[in-house]
Amino acid sequence: MTKRNITLQLDEEVIQQAKVLAARRGTSISGLLARQLTELTAADERYQRARAHALRSMDEAIERGGISWRREDLYER
């Protein structure tokens, strides 16, 4: 996969704290951010797949007549 550079502006205090954190983890700020963004995008992809699967499952259940409750029934007082 081809890598590209990006520009990011942060407060000086955040940069100093990130340098310390990255050093503790044996990486650079760039490496730290790359790993976090990779994890974030992977988590979002898993969420999107799970959401799509759940919506398909609900649609299929409705088509089969498998849902016998109404939304209002769930919120009865």
Side-chain angles (χ1 to χ4, degrees):
M1 183 177 289
T2 303
K3 293 187 178 188
R4 291 177 44 194
N5 288 330
I6 64 169
T7 301
L8 179 65
Q9 293 183 344
L10 298 169
D11 291 334
E12 189 62 38
E13 183 178 331
V14 172
I15 293 170
Q16 292 305 316
Q17 292 172 346
K19 284 181 181 180
V20 172
L21 179 61
R24 280 193 215 135
R25 295 185 182 191
T27 189
S28 62
I29 293 176
S30 181
L32 188 68
L33 290 172
R35 185 173 62 231
Q36 290 294 99
L37 286 172
T38 299
E39 291 173 6
L40 180 63
T41 56
D44 185 64
E45 178 62 30
R46 287 189 306 272
Y47 170 80
Q48 293 300 330
R49 281 196 311 266
R51 182 178 185 276
H53 176 72
L55 290 173
R56 279 193 308 275
S57 294
M58 287 189 294
D59 287 343
E60 290 169 3
I62 290 170
E63 289 171 4
R64 290 190 312 264
I67 296 178
S68 60
W69 45 263
R70 297 172 303 152
R71 183 177 190 276
E72 295 79 25
D73 296 337
L74 297 175
Y75 296 98
E76 276 186 344
R77 293 184 188 220

